[in-house]
PDB file of all heavy atoms in Angstrom:
ATOM      1  N   TYR A  37     170.130 186.671-120.282  1.00  0.00           N
ATOM      2  CA  TYR A  37     168.848 186.259-120.846  1.00  0.00           C
ATOM      3  C   TYR A  37     167.807 186.229-119.734  1.00  0.00           C
ATOM      4  O   TYR A  37     168.105 185.914-118.583  1.00  0.00           O
ATOM      5  CB  TYR A  37     168.940 184.849-121.446  1.00  0.00           C
ATOM      6  CG  TYR A  37     169.692 184.761-122.741  1.00  0.00           C
ATOM      7  CD1 TYR A  37     171.068 184.559-122.754  1.00  0.00           C
ATOM      8  CD2 TYR A  37     169.033 184.865-123.961  1.00  0.00           C
ATOM      9  CE1 TYR A  37     171.761 184.472-123.945  1.00  0.00           C
ATOM     10  CE2 TYR A  37     169.722 184.779-125.160  1.00  0.00           C
ATOM     11  CZ  TYR A  37     171.085 184.575-125.140  1.00  0.00           C
ATOM     12  OH  TYR A  37     171.769 184.492-126.332  1.00  0.00           O
ATOM     13  N   PHE A  47     166.634 187.524-125.025  1.00  0.00           N
ATOM     14  CA  PHE A  47     167.942 188.167-125.023  1.00  0.00           C
ATOM     15  C   PHE A  47     167.820 189.563-124.434  1.00  0.00           C
ATOM     16  O   PHE A  47     166.954 190.346-124.805  1.00  0.00           O
ATOM     17  CB  PHE A  47     168.455 188.230-126.462  1.00  0.00           C
ATOM     18  CG  PHE A  47     169.657 189.101-126.662  1.00  0.00           C
ATOM     19  CD1 PHE A  47     170.926 188.634-126.375  1.00  0.00           C
ATOM     20  CD2 PHE A  47     169.521 190.386-127.170  1.00  0.00           C
ATOM     21  CE1 PHE A  47     172.037 189.432-126.581  1.00  0.00           C
ATOM     22  CE2 PHE A  47     170.624 191.196-127.381  1.00  0.00           C
ATOM     23  CZ  PHE A  47     171.881 190.717-127.093  1.00  0.00           C
ATOM     24  N   ARG A  50     174.388 191.798-124.780  1.00  0.00           N
ATOM     25  CA  ARG A  50     175.660 191.162-125.079  1.00  0.00           C
ATOM     26  C   ARG A  50     176.778 192.180-124.834  1.00  0.00           C
ATOM     27  O   ARG A  50     176.630 193.367-125.147  1.00  0.00           O
ATOM     28  CB  ARG A  50     175.722 190.710-126.537  1.00  0.00           C
ATOM     29  CG  ARG A  50     177.122 190.279-126.998  1.00  0.00           C
ATOM     30  CD  ARG A  50     177.186 190.097-128.491  1.00  0.00           C
ATOM     31  NE  ARG A  50     176.707 191.289-129.151  1.00  0.00           N
ATOM     32  CZ  ARG A  50     176.013 191.271-130.280  1.00  0.00           C
ATOM     33  NH1 ARG A  50     175.739 190.117-130.866  1.00  0.00           N
ATOM     34  NH2 ARG A  50     175.595 192.382-130.823  1.00  0.00           N
TER      35      ARG A  50
ATOM     36  N   ALA B   2     162.191 187.731-139.144  1.00  0.00           N
ATOM     37  CA  ALA B   2     162.047 186.282-139.028  1.00  0.00           C
ATOM     38  C   ALA B   2     162.757 185.798-137.777  1.00  0.00           C
ATOM     39  O   ALA B   2     163.811 186.324-137.404  1.00  0.00           O
ATOM     40  CB  ALA B   2     162.635 185.617-140.266  1.00  0.00           C
ATOM     41  N   GLY B   3     162.172 184.789-137.159  1.00  0.00           N
ATOM     42  CA  GLY B   3     162.782 184.202-135.979  1.00  0.00           C
ATOM     43  C   GLY B   3     163.065 182.734-136.208  1.00  0.00           C
ATOM     44  O   GLY B   3     162.709 182.157-137.238  1.00  0.00           O
ATOM     45  N   VAL B   4     163.699 182.116-135.245  1.00  0.00           N
ATOM     46  CA  VAL B   4     163.946 180.672-135.309  1.00  0.00           C
ATOM     47  C   VAL B   4     162.630 179.944-135.047  1.00  0.00           C
ATOM     48  O   VAL B   4     161.902 180.287-134.103  1.00  0.00           O
ATOM     49  CB  VAL B   4     165.003 180.254-134.272  1.00  0.00           C
ATOM     50  CG1 VAL B   4     165.183 178.742-134.275  1.00  0.00           C
ATOM     51  CG2 VAL B   4     166.318 180.967-134.539  1.00  0.00           C
ATOM     52  N   ILE B  26     167.031 181.219-138.679  1.00  0.00           N
ATOM     53  CA  ILE B  26     166.779 182.490-139.356  1.00  0.00           C
ATOM     54  C   ILE B  26     167.470 182.449-140.723  1.00  0.00           C
ATOM     55  O   ILE B  26     168.605 181.948-140.821  1.00  0.00           O
ATOM     56  CB  ILE B  26     167.304 183.660-138.499  1.00  0.00           C
ATOM     57  CG1 ILE B  26     166.456 183.761-137.222  1.00  0.00           C
ATOM     58  CG2 ILE B  26     167.296 184.967-139.268  1.00  0.00           C
ATOM     59  CD1 ILE B  26     166.998 184.749-136.201  1.00  0.00           C
ATOM     60  N   HIS B  29     171.402 182.406-141.633  1.00  0.00           N
ATOM     61  CA  HIS B  29     172.166 181.897-140.494  1.00  0.00           C
ATOM     62  C   HIS B  29     172.624 180.485-140.842  1.00  0.00           C
ATOM     63  O   HIS B  29     171.809 179.622-141.170  1.00  0.00           O
ATOM     64  CB  HIS B  29     171.304 181.855-139.224  1.00  0.00           C
ATOM     65  CG  HIS B  29     171.122 183.186-138.596  1.00  0.00           C
ATOM     66  ND1 HIS B  29     170.682 183.330-137.292  1.00  0.00           N
ATOM     67  CD2 HIS B  29     171.321 184.442-139.056  1.00  0.00           C
ATOM     68  CE1 HIS B  29     170.623 184.613-136.996  1.00  0.00           C
ATOM     69  NE2 HIS B  29     171.003 185.312-138.058  1.00  0.00           N
ATOM     70  N   TYR B  33     172.478 175.454-133.181  1.00  0.00           N
ATOM     71  CA  TYR B  33     172.835 174.864-131.897  1.00  0.00           C
ATOM     72  C   TYR B  33     171.594 174.224-131.272  1.00  0.00           C
ATOM     73  O   TYR B  33     170.490 174.735-131.434  1.00  0.00           O
ATOM     74  CB  TYR B  33     173.326 175.939-130.923  1.00  0.00           C
ATOM     75  CG  TYR B  33     174.357 176.897-131.453  1.00  0.00           C
ATOM     76  CD1 TYR B  33     173.992 177.956-132.271  1.00  0.00           C
ATOM     77  CD2 TYR B  33     175.697 176.764-131.106  1.00  0.00           C
ATOM     78  CE1 TYR B  33     174.927 178.854-132.748  1.00  0.00           C
ATOM     79  CE2 TYR B  33     176.649 177.665-131.580  1.00  0.00           C
ATOM     80  CZ  TYR B  33     176.248 178.701-132.400  1.00  0.00           C
ATOM     81  OH  TYR B  33     177.185 179.579-132.870  1.00  0.00           O
ATOM     82  N   CYS B  91     166.516 175.330-129.830  1.00  0.00           N
ATOM     83  CA  CYS B  91     167.386 175.455-130.982  1.00  0.00           C
ATOM     84  C   CYS B  91     167.766 176.931-131.082  1.00  0.00           C
ATOM     85  O   CYS B  91     166.952 177.818-130.764  1.00  0.00           O
ATOM     86  CB  CYS B  91     166.650 175.012-132.241  1.00  0.00           C
ATOM     87  SG  CYS B  91     167.536 175.329-133.769  1.00  0.00           S
ATOM     88  N   ALA B  92     168.987 177.193-131.492  1.00  0.00           N
ATOM     89  CA  ALA B  92     169.424 178.567-131.707  1.00  0.00           C
ATOM     90  C   ALA B  92     170.187 178.624-133.014  1.00  0.00           C
ATOM     91  O   ALA B  92     170.737 177.612-133.468  1.00  0.00           O
ATOM     92  CB  ALA B  92     170.305 179.042-130.551  1.00  0.00           C
ATOM     93  N   SER B  93     170.213 179.790-133.616  1.00  0.00           N
ATOM     94  CA  SER B  93     170.993 179.949-134.850  1.00  0.00           C
ATOM     95  C   SER B  93     171.800 181.231-134.774  1.00  0.00           C
ATOM     96  O   SER B  93     171.468 182.161-134.028  1.00  0.00           O
ATOM     97  CB  SER B  93     170.083 179.953-136.090  1.00  0.00           C
ATOM     98  OG  SER B  93     169.330 181.149-136.183  1.00  0.00           O
ATOM     99  N   SER B  94     172.871 181.261-135.542  1.00  0.00           N
ATOM    100  CA  SER B  94     173.687 182.472-135.611  1.00  0.00           C
ATOM    101  C   SER B  94     174.364 182.538-136.966  1.00  0.00           C
ATOM    102  O   SER B  94     174.598 181.514-137.611  1.00  0.00           O
ATOM    103  CB  SER B  94     174.740 182.480-134.493  1.00  0.00           C
ATOM    104  OG  SER B  94     175.713 181.481-134.701  1.00  0.00           O
ATOM    105  N   PRO B  95     174.670 183.758-137.393  1.00  0.00           N
ATOM    106  CA  PRO B  95     175.458 183.906-138.615  1.00  0.00           C
ATOM    107  C   PRO B  95     176.930 183.817-138.243  1.00  0.00           C
ATOM    108  O   PRO B  95     177.301 184.101-137.102  1.00  0.00           O
ATOM    109  CB  PRO B  95     175.105 185.325-139.089  1.00  0.00           C
ATOM    110  CG  PRO B  95     174.833 186.061-137.818  1.00  0.00           C
ATOM    111  CD  PRO B  95     174.283 185.054-136.838  1.00  0.00           C
ATOM    112  N   GLU B 101     176.829 190.881-135.201  1.00  0.00           N
ATOM    113  CA  GLU B 101     175.841 189.903-134.778  1.00  0.00           C
ATOM    114  C   GLU B 101     176.351 188.479-134.711  1.00  0.00           C
ATOM    115  O   GLU B 101     175.650 187.598-134.261  1.00  0.00           O
ATOM    116  CB  GLU B 101     174.624 189.962-135.715  1.00  0.00           C
ATOM    117  CG  GLU B 101     173.794 191.218-135.541  1.00  0.00           C
ATOM    118  CD  GLU B 101     173.282 191.355-134.113  1.00  0.00           C
ATOM    119  OE1 GLU B 101     172.698 190.388-133.602  1.00  0.00           O
ATOM    120  OE2 GLU B 101     173.487 192.416-133.503  1.00  0.00           O
ATOM    121  N   PHE B 102     177.599 188.262-135.153  1.00  0.00           N
ATOM    122  CA  PHE B 102     177.995 186.868-135.299  1.00  0.00           C
ATOM    123  C   PHE B 102     178.125 186.143-133.981  1.00  0.00           C
ATOM    124  O   PHE B 102     178.043 184.930-133.922  1.00  0.00           O
ATOM    125  CB  PHE B 102     179.302 186.753-136.101  1.00  0.00           C
ATOM    126  CG  PHE B 102     180.537 187.104-135.301  1.00  0.00           C
ATOM    127  CD1 PHE B 102     181.271 186.117-134.670  1.00  0.00           C
ATOM    128  CD2 PHE B 102     180.959 188.417-135.181  1.00  0.00           C
ATOM    129  CE1 PHE B 102     182.405 186.428-133.937  1.00  0.00           C
ATOM    130  CE2 PHE B 102     182.083 188.732-134.457  1.00  0.00           C
ATOM    131  CZ  PHE B 102     182.804 187.741-133.839  1.00  0.00           C
ATOM    132  N   ARG B 104     176.139 186.424-131.403  1.00  0.00           N
ATOM    133  CA  ARG B 104     174.867 186.230-130.706  1.00  0.00           C
ATOM    134  C   ARG B 104     174.102 185.057-131.283  1.00  0.00           C
ATOM    135  O   ARG B 104     174.024 184.880-132.489  1.00  0.00           O
ATOM    136  CB  ARG B 104     174.018 187.501-130.822  1.00  0.00           C
ATOM    137  CG  ARG B 104     172.658 187.347-130.171  1.00  0.00           C
ATOM    138  CD  ARG B 104     171.819 188.581-130.337  1.00  0.00           C
ATOM    139  NE  ARG B 104     170.412 188.253-130.107  1.00  0.00           N
ATOM    140  CZ  ARG B 104     169.411 189.110-130.301  1.00  0.00           C
ATOM    141  NH1 ARG B 104     169.665 190.341-130.712  1.00  0.00           N
ATOM    142  NH2 ARG B 104     168.171 188.732-130.082  1.00  0.00           N
ATOM    143  N   GLN B 105     173.532 184.252-130.406  1.00  0.00           N
ATOM    144  CA  GLN B 105     172.683 183.153-130.825  1.00  0.00           C
ATOM    145  C   GLN B 105     171.228 183.569-130.636  1.00  0.00           C
ATOM    146  O   GLN B 105     170.857 184.085-129.591  1.00  0.00           O
ATOM    147  CB  GLN B 105     173.001 181.893-130.018  1.00  0.00           C
ATOM    148  CG  GLN B 105     174.406 181.385-130.271  1.00  0.00           C
ATOM    149  CD  GLN B 105     174.769 180.186-129.429  1.00  0.00           C
ATOM    150  OE1 GLN B 105     173.909 179.459-128.944  1.00  0.00           O
ATOM    151  NE2 GLN B 105     176.065 179.949-129.252  1.00  0.00           N
ATOM    152  N   TYR B 106     170.451 183.314-131.650  1.00  0.00           N
ATOM    153  CA  TYR B 106     169.029 183.645-131.610  1.00  0.00           C
ATOM    154  C   TYR B 106     168.276 182.363-131.274  1.00  0.00           C
ATOM    155  O   TYR B 106     168.356 181.389-132.010  1.00  0.00           O
ATOM    156  CB  TYR B 106     168.571 184.193-132.961  1.00  0.00           C
ATOM    157  CG  TYR B 106     169.156 185.538-133.281  1.00  0.00           C
ATOM    158  CD1 TYR B 106     170.485 185.679-133.656  1.00  0.00           C
ATOM    159  CD2 TYR B 106     168.380 186.689-133.188  1.00  0.00           C
ATOM    160  CE1 TYR B 106     171.026 186.913-133.942  1.00  0.00           C
ATOM    161  CE2 TYR B 106     168.903 187.934-133.480  1.00  0.00           C
ATOM    162  CZ  TYR B 106     170.235 188.043-133.850  1.00  0.00           C
ATOM    163  OH  TYR B 106     170.762 189.268-134.128  1.00  0.00           O
ATOM    164  N   PHE B 107     167.546 182.392-130.182  1.00  0.00           N
ATOM    165  CA  PHE B 107     166.877 181.194-129.705  1.00  0.00           C
ATOM    166  C   PHE B 107     165.452 181.080-130.243  1.00  0.00           C
ATOM    167  O   PHE B 107     164.721 182.070-130.342  1.00  0.00           O
ATOM    168  CB  PHE B 107     166.834 181.184-128.181  1.00  0.00           C
ATOM    169  CG  PHE B 107     168.135 180.771-127.560  1.00  0.00           C
ATOM    170  CD1 PHE B 107     169.143 181.693-127.361  1.00  0.00           C
ATOM    171  CD2 PHE B 107     168.350 179.451-127.192  1.00  0.00           C
ATOM    172  CE1 PHE B 107     170.363 181.308-126.801  1.00  0.00           C
ATOM    173  CE2 PHE B 107     169.557 179.047-126.636  1.00  0.00           C
ATOM    174  CZ  PHE B 107     170.556 179.981-126.439  1.00  0.00           C
ATOM    175  N   GLY B 108     165.080 179.851-130.541  1.00  0.00           N
ATOM    176  CA  GLY B 108     163.696 179.557-130.854  1.00  0.00           C
ATOM    177  C   GLY B 108     162.884 179.462-129.569  1.00  0.00           C
ATOM    178  O   GLY B 108     163.434 179.540-128.477  1.00  0.00           O
TER     179      GLY B 108
END
Side-chain angles (χ1 to χ4, degrees):
Chain A
Y37 286 89
F47 168 81
R50 169 191 53 216
Chain B
V4 176
I26 293 172
H29 283 197
Y33 312 79
C91 172
S93 72
S94 68
E101 289 301 309
F102 77 94
R104 178 182 161 186
Q105 296 177 22
Y106 292 74
F107 282 84

